[in-house]
Amino acid sequence: QTQVCARIRYNQDQKEIDLPGTRAQVNVPLGEGVVRLKIDKAGYDLFKKATNIEVDGQALRIVTDAGRIGPFAVHFYTLYLRPAD
């Protein structure tokens, strides 16, 4: 088990937003229970290899490609997750 530091945002309502990293899809509807994580490069490297992801005791799965954040170089990544079935 490995832990990473992340900024977590829980989406409690359903709305349409532009998802980073999807490029071709605009206004993709996100349902309740979607979690947005903003993590650094070290954390992102661990997430790419992870088979099980747990946030605050809830099993989640990645539903988007990573959005890269940084004006000149990538400093953080944003991922959207939803509850695992």
Side-chain angles (χ1 to χ4, degrees):
Q1 183 177 6
T2 305
Q3 295 182 355
V4 297
C5 293
R7 293 180 182 161
I8 303 170
R9 179 174 180 255
Y10 294 95
N11 188 26
Q12 300 301 328
D13 56 346
Q14 185 171 353
K15 60 183 179 181
E16 294 183 349
I17 64 169
D18 294 338
L19 295 178
T22 56
R23 292 188 192 112
Q25 296 180 355
V26 179
N27 293 327
V28 175
L30 292 176
E32 288 188 38
V34 172
V35 177
R36 183 187 77 176
L37 291 181
K38 186 186 285 187
I39 54 178
D40 62 8
K41 179 158 177 41
Y44 176 66
D45 290 339
L46 291 171
F47 264 70
K48 289 192 304 187
K49 299 177 206 172
T51 55
N52 298 318
I53 298 172
E54 185 176 306
V55 176
D56 292 337
Q58 182 180 13
L60 301 168
R61 62 182 171 86
I62 298 172
V63 293
T64 63
D65 293 332
R68 296 165 185 87
I69 302 171
F72 302 109
V74 177
H75 297 287
F76 295 96
Y77 293 85
T78 300
L79 293 168
Y80 285 85
L81 301 98
R82 73 177 53 224
D85 297 330

